[in-house]
């Protein structure tokens, strides 16, 4: 068999890579893995020795088979109460005073946990012992497993307390700390995931590490207790070597992960070639049977969809229709398969994290905000292209799920819902997916006369339906359980049951509503009610964009539960409330700095690059899709702060953190567009968008910073384009000679204004900027007079109190004023070359 880590590194025991915890997607590794040879063949031979210190045997031969399954069993978990019920626990540690839901889950472990901070570091120095660092997050299934197996075990706790200072970190609260030690584990061992388990010196240099460890020795591999003993022995007998190795590794990683550009901008040929190469590589990994790019486990990686749609648009504009249609078909089929699969929550809306099989059927059941925001946007894009309500329905389902279940009293949007929950109230154990799966009899009892129709539509069986792939349920844990999946077209089944498609859909919607009500009486999965700025930025974008794009749905369109038919303009209000919350609670007006997260109060962690970049992107969408000028002003203000805190003015690009926290050993220029886009990719697009709105030296500065940023990643764009799909789009956007500008002039409160703005956004075009201005608004006019006088002149010259006027501009040429939304949409549908002919 092929191992998921390099055999030449002679690593046997530190990392169980395959799906234990949340593994890092393979596309994130190339830059880091380039360090593997340098580190393991360096002048520091102890780095090769480190893994052997923990090994029971040499690396197995190539015909070795893992004695544990490649798709590990879903473990049934003891319930882990939150820290509020102190009287139920025998132990309490320092985590009880923290805000993070993940840290609070560990507040009653017998392990003497510390949060990340000077108190823990000082204690390690005082006792002269290594640090055990455990990193995870509250909805991580395998983090829960390791807690139940090891951190709640008194014998393990005694070893940790006697020999180490133990620190717990929520990776969502401190992504900067996570990045340092995940990068180390990836570089040395070829992969990584959560829970992340790393041993550090008192000065925080990594000594050795891995991910999930079972508690006891099995299969010739050491368990966690054995590893603790081995690390203790190594610390006592080989301390100098360990410390030297850790320092060397950090030095090498720092050099590799903070590259500088040799030139101020990319060579002219790179953007088009990177875009072509990325599309070609993704097309080569396309699954024509089940959709998606790559094999199981399948992640809905929206940045790949972004790239394929962008490239399709470019091919269409240059008359290469076969290529454009081919790329588009891959995307649309993938989106359809995802929406019909079990990764989509048909009863409540929204998407689960990923599918364990190739057919998008059986998911890992947690729901993450960053997925919802990005997926809502790609389904909106698909609707913009096709005008097929199938895609708008899915997008509405995501947004309505967030609106119903994930928004706090002040409009803040929460982070995640867990995969695990109890099957019944008061049950002592949790099971993955318990909240979402169904037995056939249960469905029959709830739905009565319509049960047969519903069962056929969602492939429900008495024996359970997790049988579509060998990977769906290899250990028969979902026996007699059903994960809803659509395998037949509604029109086909409606005909079979002798009814119209509309009647059929109404019955399905009513059935879903009944099951939703029944499901609501089950114990709910844990809600991580932490508010993360970056993820809220992604959601703000999708809510804002939906407010205009969904106005393109045909008049009289019908929607069925769980979609509730929200008026599109209501989504804009949700976006604005979320942005208001961040400005009120997570932004210091005096310093103009963001905090990273909020739960009851702002976290100690400052805002990181992703927080600024994703929020700026969301604010630009909030403005362009109808929000007030204040959102654009704040976006510009945040961009100034981002440049001051993160920009490498000499070398180009943005670091992931400010460098002000001495306990964070790496400043990294991230480029990988994975489950979330990279901060640098989003920042590049933000700069391009801002440069198209303002004029003069400000616009030139934005463009110059974008050019320099992209030059930093020239090698990546040329050699590993598939790892940076959104950055490929950014590079091409910068190459476009002149972005299309739509300027809408009129009274903001009128219905005509709303309709004209909707027409401006009706068609998919990522190289379009929409500016709207109400000449009667003094603040708006003053802003444009200072930042782009051409816009203010257009507003003055075309203002009519009784009309809303739109102008389309490109290459220093503007169309005649348009007063009809349909005329604007028709003009925007023309190819760039014929826009004004």
């Amino acid at each position: 068999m092929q191992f998921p880590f390099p055999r030449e590194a002679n690593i046997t025991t530190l990392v169980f890579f395959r799906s234990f915890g949340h593994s890092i997607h393979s596309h994130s590794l190339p830059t880091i893995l380039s360090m593997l040879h340098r580190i393991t063949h360096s002048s520091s031979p102890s780095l090769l020795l480190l893994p052997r210190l923990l090994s029971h045997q040499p690396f197995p031969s190539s015909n070795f088979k893992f004695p544990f399954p490649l798709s590990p069993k879903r473990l049934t978990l003891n319930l882990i109460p939150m820290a509020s019920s102190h009287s139920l626990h025998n132990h309490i540690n320092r985590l009880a005073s923290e805000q993070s839901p993940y840290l609070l889950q560990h507040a009653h472990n017998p392990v003497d946990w510390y949060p990340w901070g000077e108190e823990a570091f000082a204690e390690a120095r005082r006792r002269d012992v290594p640090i055990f660092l455990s990193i995870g997050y509250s909805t991580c299934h395998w983090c829960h497993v390791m807690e139940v197996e090891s951190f709640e075990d008194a014998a393990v706790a005694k070893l940790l307390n006697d020999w180490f200072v133990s620190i717990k970190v929520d990776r969502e609260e401190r992504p900067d700390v996570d990045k340092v030690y995940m990068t180390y584990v990836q570089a040395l061992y070829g992969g990584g995931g959560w829970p992340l388990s790393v041993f550090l010196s008192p000065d925080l240099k990594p000594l050795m590490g891995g991910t999930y460890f079972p508690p006891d020795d099995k299969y010739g591999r050491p368990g966690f207790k054995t590893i603790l003993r081995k690390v203790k022995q190594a610390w006592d007998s080989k301390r100098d070597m360990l410390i030297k190795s850790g320092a060397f590794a950090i030095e090498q990683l720092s050099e590799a992960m903070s590259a500088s550009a040799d030139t101020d901008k990319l060579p002219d040929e790179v953007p088009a070639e990177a875009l072509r190469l990325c599309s070609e590589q993704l097309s080569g990994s396309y699954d024509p049977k089940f959709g998606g790019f790559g094999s199981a486990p399948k992640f809905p990686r929206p940045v790949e969809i972004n790239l394929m749609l962008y490239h399709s648009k470019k091919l269409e504009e240059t008359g290469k229709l076969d290529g454009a249609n081919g790329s588009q078909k891959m995307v649309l089929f993938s989106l359809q398969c995802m929406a019909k699969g079990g990764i989509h929550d048909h009863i409540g809306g929204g998407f689960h994290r990923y599918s364990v099989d190739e057919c998008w059927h059986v998911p890992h059941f947690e729901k993450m905000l960053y997925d919802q925001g990005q997926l809502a946007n790609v389904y909106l894009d698909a609707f913009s292209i096709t005008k097929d309500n199938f895609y708008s329905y899915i997008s509405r389902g995501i947004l309505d799920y967030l609106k119903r279940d994930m928004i706090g009293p002040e409009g803040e949007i929460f982070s995640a819902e867990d995969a695990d929950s109890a099957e019944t109230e008061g049950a002592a154990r949790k099971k993955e997916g318990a909240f979402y799966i169904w037995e056939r009899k249960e469905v029959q009892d709830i739905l009565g006369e319509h049960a047969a129709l519903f069962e056929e539509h969602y492939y429900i069986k008495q024996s359970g339906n997790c049988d579509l792939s060998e990977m769906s349920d290899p250990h028969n844990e979902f026996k007699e359980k059903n994960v809803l999946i659509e395998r037949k077209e509604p029109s086909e089944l409606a005909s079979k049951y002798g009814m119209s498609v509309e009647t059929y859909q109404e019955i399905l919607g009513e059935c879903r509503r009944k099951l939703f009500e029944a499901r609501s009486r089950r114990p709910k999965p844990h809600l991580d009610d932490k508010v993360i700025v970056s993820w809220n930025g992604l959601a703000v974008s999708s809510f804002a964009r939906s407010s205009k794009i969904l106005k393109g749905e045909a008049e009289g369109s019908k929607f069925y539960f769980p979609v509730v038919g929200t008026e599109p303009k209501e989504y804009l209000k949700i976006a604005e409330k979320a942005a208001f919350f961040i400005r009120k609670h997570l932004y210091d007006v005096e310093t103009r700095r963001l905090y990273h997260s909020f739960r009851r109060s702002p976290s100690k962690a400052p805002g990181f690059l992703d927080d600024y970049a994703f929020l700026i992107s969301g604010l630009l969408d909030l403005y362009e899709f109808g929000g007030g000028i204040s959102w654009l002003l704040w976006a510009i203000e945040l961009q100034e702060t981002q440049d001051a805190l993160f920009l490498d003015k000499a070398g180009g690009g943005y670091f992931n953190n400010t460098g002000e926290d001495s306990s964070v050993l790496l400043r990294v220029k991230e480029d990988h567009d994975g489950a979330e886009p990279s901060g640098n990719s989003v920042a590049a697009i933000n700069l391009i968008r801002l440069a198209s709105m303002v004029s003069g030296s400000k616009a030139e500065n934005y463009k110059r910073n974008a050019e320099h940023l992209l030059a930093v990643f020239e090698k990546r764009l040329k050699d590993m384009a598939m790892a940076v799909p959104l950055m490929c789009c950014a590079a091409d956007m910068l190459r476009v000679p002149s972005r299309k500008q739509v300027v809408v002039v009129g009274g903001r409160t009128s219905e005509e204004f709303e309709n004209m703005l909707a027409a401006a956004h009706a068609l998919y075009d990522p190289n379009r900027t929409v500016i709207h201005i109400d000449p009667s608004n003094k603040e708006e006019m003053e802003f444009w007079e200072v930042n782009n006088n051409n816009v203010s002149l257009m507003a003055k010259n075309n203002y009519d109190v009784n009309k809303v006027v739109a102008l389309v501009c490109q290459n220093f040429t503007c169309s005649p004023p348009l007063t009809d939304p349909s005329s604007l949409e028709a003009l925007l549908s023309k190819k760039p070359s014929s826009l004004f002919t």
Side-chain angles (χ1 to χ4, degrees):
M1 70 169 291
Q2 185 174 356
F3 286 88
F5 43 84
R7 295 184 65 233
E8 65 270 24
N10 199 24
I11 299 162
T12 69
T13 62
L14 283 182
V15 185
F16 292 118
F17 288 91
R18 180 66 175 179
S19 295
F20 285 101
H22 274 233
S23 60
I24 299 295
H25 199 286
S26 60
H27 290 125
S28 67
L29 296 179
T31 298
I32 301 169
L33 289 181
S34 67
M35 296 304 301
L36 185 60
H37 182 84
R38 292 177 62 185
I39 292 177
T40 56
H41 294 80
S42 68
S43 59
S44 180
S46 56
L47 281 171
L48 270 179
L49 181 59
L50 284 181
R52 296 177 193 163
L53 293 172
L54 305 185
S55 64
H56 280 187
Q57 58 185 42
F59 195 89
S61 62
S62 59
N63 62 359
F64 173 85
K65 294 186 183 298
F66 279 115
F68 51 80
L70 285 179
S71 294
K73 293 185 72 172
R74 302 167 189 269
L75 298 194
T76 299
L77 304 176
N78 291 317
L79 279 174
I80 306 164
M82 296 294 284
S84 56
S85 50
H86 290 178
S87 61
L88 300 177
H89 302 279
N90 295 324
H91 305 279
I92 187 167
N93 57 50
R94 293 168 184 81
L95 302 185
S97 61
E98 294 295 305
Q99 299 284 14
S100 158
Y102 177 63
L103 299 189
L104 290 172
Q105 286 171 352
H106 293 263
H108 299 284
N109 296 163
V111 177
D112 187 16
W113 291 114
Y114 287 76
W116 182 266
E118 181 55 36
E119 182 186 6
F121 312 151
E123 180 66 7
R125 292 193 297 268
R126 185 188 69 79
R127 290 174 52 195
D128 194 25
V129 296
I131 291 167
F132 170 65
L133 174 64
S134 176
I135 303 178
Y137 54 103
S138 73
T139 59
C140 166
H141 175 74
W142 286 95
C143 300
H144 298 333
V145 172
M146 193 162 177
E147 177 186 19
V148 170
E149 291 179 339
S150 293
F151 303 145
E152 291 185 339
D153 182 88
V156 171
K158 181 169 180 12
L159 297 181
L160 284 169
N161 296 341
D162 288 350
W163 295 341
F164 303 90
V165 168
S166 298
I167 299 178
K168 251 303 167 192
V169 167
D170 181 342
R171 69 169 294 261
E172 295 170 355
E173 193 173 63
R174 291 302 304 258
D176 54 337
V177 174
D178 176 65
K179 186 67 181 179
V180 173
Y181 300 106
M182 182 60 75
T183 301
Y184 166 79
V185 168
Q186 286 177 307
L188 204 55
Y189 306 119
W194 298 278
L196 184 66
S197 306
V198 189
F199 298 92
L200 316 178
S201 63
D203 64 352
L204 309 180
K205 302 297 192 302
L207 308 177
M208 53 195 80
T211 56
Y212 162 82
F213 296 110
D216 300 307
D217 299 356
K218 288 181 181 178
Y219 317 125
R221 294 165 183 270
F224 189 51
K225 285 177 277 194
T226 297
I227 286 170
L228 295 177
R229 294 186 183 97
K230 294 282 187 178
V231 173
K232 171 70 164 68
Q233 291 169 12
W235 178 254
D236 289 343
S237 61
K238 303 179 185 295
R239 181 180 312 189
D240 291 344
M241 180 194 71
L242 293 177
I243 293 173
K244 180 181 177 183
S245 299
F248 178 78
I250 288 295
E251 177 186 321
Q252 292 292 298
L253 290 170
S254 180
E255 179 184 330
M257 301 298 287
S258 57
S260 296
D262 295 327
T263 61
D264 290 339
K265 61 181 183 178
L266 288 171
D268 291 343
E269 73 279 1
V270 171
E273 180 59 20
L275 192 66
R276 182 202 62 77
L277 178 61
C278 188
S279 178
E280 187 178 277
Q281 290 172 337
L282 287 172
S283 298
S285 69
Y286 174 67
D287 180 348
K289 185 174 181 181
F290 297 111
F293 303 97
S295 56
K298 276 187 174 173
F299 290 78
R301 192 178 171 217
V303 289
E304 295 174 338
I305 304 293
N306 296 146
L307 180 285
M308 296 297 283
L309 289 180
Y310 183 93
H311 189 231
S312 174
K313 176 73 172 174
K314 297 291 290 189
L315 292 173
E316 179 190 328
E317 289 176 348
T318 54
K320 299 174 182 176
L321 298 184
D322 287 345
N325 291 335
S327 294
Q328 193 179 110
K329 284 179 180 177
M330 291 183 205
V331 166
L332 297 179
F333 183 64
S334 297
L335 292 176
Q336 290 166 19
C337 291
M338 286 161 51
K340 293 175 181 179
I343 191 172
H344 177 213
D345 180 3
H346 296 273
I347 300 300
F351 280 78
H352 300 296
R353 183 67 197 91
Y354 64 86
S355 168
V356 302
D357 52 44
E358 70 277 16
C359 45
W360 302 106
H361 183 201
V362 179
H364 175 60
F365 287 90
E366 71 177 323
K367 288 180 171 181
M368 308 300 295
L369 178 58
Y370 60 76
D371 283 324
Q372 313 309 322
Q374 293 180 89
L375 286 168
N377 266 335
V378 296
Y379 279 98
L380 286 171
D381 289 340
F383 172 73
S384 297
I385 293 165
T386 65
K387 303 304 179 187
D388 184 342
N389 277 17
F390 173 89
Y391 302 103
S392 66
Y393 173 89
I394 301 302
S395 190
R396 280 178 172 273
I398 296 169
L399 299 174
D400 288 348
Y401 153 66
L402 294 177
K403 179 170 173 269
R404 183 190 66 234
D405 291 347
M406 298 293 285
I407 294 182
E410 293 187 64
E412 69 275 29
I413 309 176
F414 300 138
S415 297
E417 287 190 298
D418 206 341
D420 307 319
S421 59
E423 290 186 292
T424 58
E425 288 292 349
R429 294 180 176 273
K430 290 184 177 183
K431 287 187 177 180
E432 183 173 4
F435 186 71
Y436 299 99
I437 57 180
W438 301 90
E439 293 181 355
R440 185 186 182 200
K441 184 178 186 307
E442 188 178 13
V443 172
Q444 290 173 334
D445 290 344
I446 294 167
L447 301 185
E449 63 175 316
H450 295 309
L453 177 151
F454 192 87
E455 287 171 10
E456 185 166 6
H457 185 88
Y458 286 109
Y459 188 57
I460 293 172
K461 303 195 300 183
Q462 183 65 40
S463 59
N465 72 353
C466 300
D467 55 5
L468 297 178
S469 166
E470 292 180 354
M471 302 184 74
S472 296
D473 187 26
H475 311 295
N476 213 25
E477 293 155 282
F478 289 148
K479 182 180 180 181
E480 299 181 358
K481 306 288 186 181
N482 293 273
V483 177
L484 303 189
I485 182 172
E486 296 178 284
R487 303 187 68 210
K488 296 180 180 179
E489 289 299 320
S491 57
E492 175 189 345
L493 291 173
S495 176
K496 175 180 176 178
Y497 284 92
M499 60 183 69
S500 68
V501 173
E502 184 176 325
T503 300
Y504 180 82
Q505 292 284 21
E506 287 174 352
I507 291 171
L508 279 181
E510 181 60 18
C511 289
R512 288 192 295 265
R513 184 187 64 77
K514 289 180 178 179
L515 291 179
F516 177 84
E517 291 173 353
R519 194 176 83 172
S520 297
R521 294 189 286 271
R522 296 174 175 177
K524 288 181 171 59
H526 161 68
L527 169 68
D528 188 328
D529 57 358
K530 182 167 68 265
V531 180
I532 297 175
V533 170
S534 57
W535 298 0
N536 270 249
L538 295 172
V540 164
S541 170
S542 59
F543 276 113
R545 296 181 75 240
S546 69
S547 71
K548 297 301 177 289
I549 292 173
L550 293 177
K551 286 178 74 70
E553 292 169 334
E555 192 172 339
S557 294
K558 293 191 174 181
F559 302 101
Y560 310 98
F561 194 87
V563 172
V564 297
T566 302
E567 278 292 317
K569 63 184 178 182
E570 293 300 312
Y571 291 133
L572 187 68
K573 294 177 183 176
I574 294 170
E576 290 193 306
K577 282 191 74 175
F580 272 125
F581 180 91
I582 294 171
R583 186 166 177 90
K584 178 180 178 182
H585 294 287
L586 286 156
Y587 182 66
D588 187 320
V589 177
E590 291 185 7
T591 64
R592 296 187 171 188
R593 290 191 178 199
L594 291 167
Y595 295 97
H596 171 62
S597 62
F598 180 98
R599 188 173 185 270
R600 300 177 183 164
S601 63
S603 67
K604 299 166 190 167
F608 303 108
L609 172 61
D610 287 3
D611 296 308
Y612 286 85
F614 293 10
L615 180 57
I616 291 168
S617 178
L619 293 174
L620 292 177
D621 284 333
L622 189 49
Y623 167 72
E624 285 199 51
F625 284 81
I629 195 71
S630 60
W631 301 122
L632 178 55
L633 280 163
W634 192 25
I636 291 171
E637 191 175 283
L638 287 169
Q639 186 64 54
E640 291 172 359
T641 303
Q642 179 184 307
D643 290 349
L645 295 178
F646 305 101
L647 181 64
D648 181 351
K649 293 178 176 62
Y654 292 96
F655 293 106
N656 67 325
N657 63 68
T658 64
E660 295 170 342
D661 185 344
S662 61
S663 73
V664 181
L665 303 184
L666 290 178
R667 290 186 86 194
V668 173
K669 293 181 185 176
E670 296 191 65
D671 62 359
H672 172 59
D673 298 316
E676 301 170 59
S678 78
N680 272 297
S681 295
V682 176
I685 294 174
N686 291 343
L687 291 167
I688 294 164
R689 294 174 70 183
L690 286 166
S692 73
M693 290 184 173
V694 301
S695 61
S697 60
K698 206 168 202 174
E700 288 303 313
N701 185 56
Y702 289 143
K703 186 177 178 183
R704 187 165 51 250
N705 284 345
E707 288 174 336
H708 203 185
L709 181 161
L710 291 164
V712 172
F713 304 106
E714 177 184 348
K715 180 172 175 54
R716 190 83 141 131
L717 288 163
K718 287 160 65 172
D719 297 345
M720 273 298 297
M722 190 171 163
V724 289
L726 198 63
M727 190 170 286
C728 291
C729 296
D732 189 82
M733 287 178 184
L734 191 58
R735 189 176 65 101
V736 173
S738 174
R739 279 175 73 87
K740 193 182 297 178
Q741 291 178 314
V742 182
V743 181
V744 177
V745 180
R748 183 180 304 283
T749 58
S750 68
E751 187 64 27
E752 291 81 2
F753 183 87
E754 283 287 302
N755 292 337
M756 193 68 83
L757 208 51
H761 290 291
L763 302 174
Y764 172 78
D765 187 354
N767 281 307
R768 173 191 60 222
T769 295
V770 176
I771 293 169
H772 51 86
I773 180 168
D774 183 348
S776 67
N777 185 304
K778 184 181 178 182
E779 182 187 15
E780 289 187 39
M781 289 301 292
E782 288 177 351
F783 172 85
W784 292 112
E785 285 167 0
V786 171
N787 290 282
N788 191 337
N789 196 44
N790 288 333
V791 172
S792 64
L793 287 173
M794 275 191 273
K796 290 174 184 176
N797 295 336
N798 292 280
Y799 182 50
D800 185 330
V801 71
N802 297 313
K803 293 179 182 177
V804 175
V805 174
L807 302 98
V808 180
C809 305
Q810 193 166 26
N811 295 319
F812 308 104
T813 304
C814 292
S815 70
L818 302 167
T819 57
D820 178 48
S822 60
S823 299
L824 174 60
E825 191 170 336
L827 180 59
L828 292 172
S829 68
K830 290 185 177 182
K831 290 182 181 179
S833 58
S834 59
L835 193 61
F836 303 119
T837 59

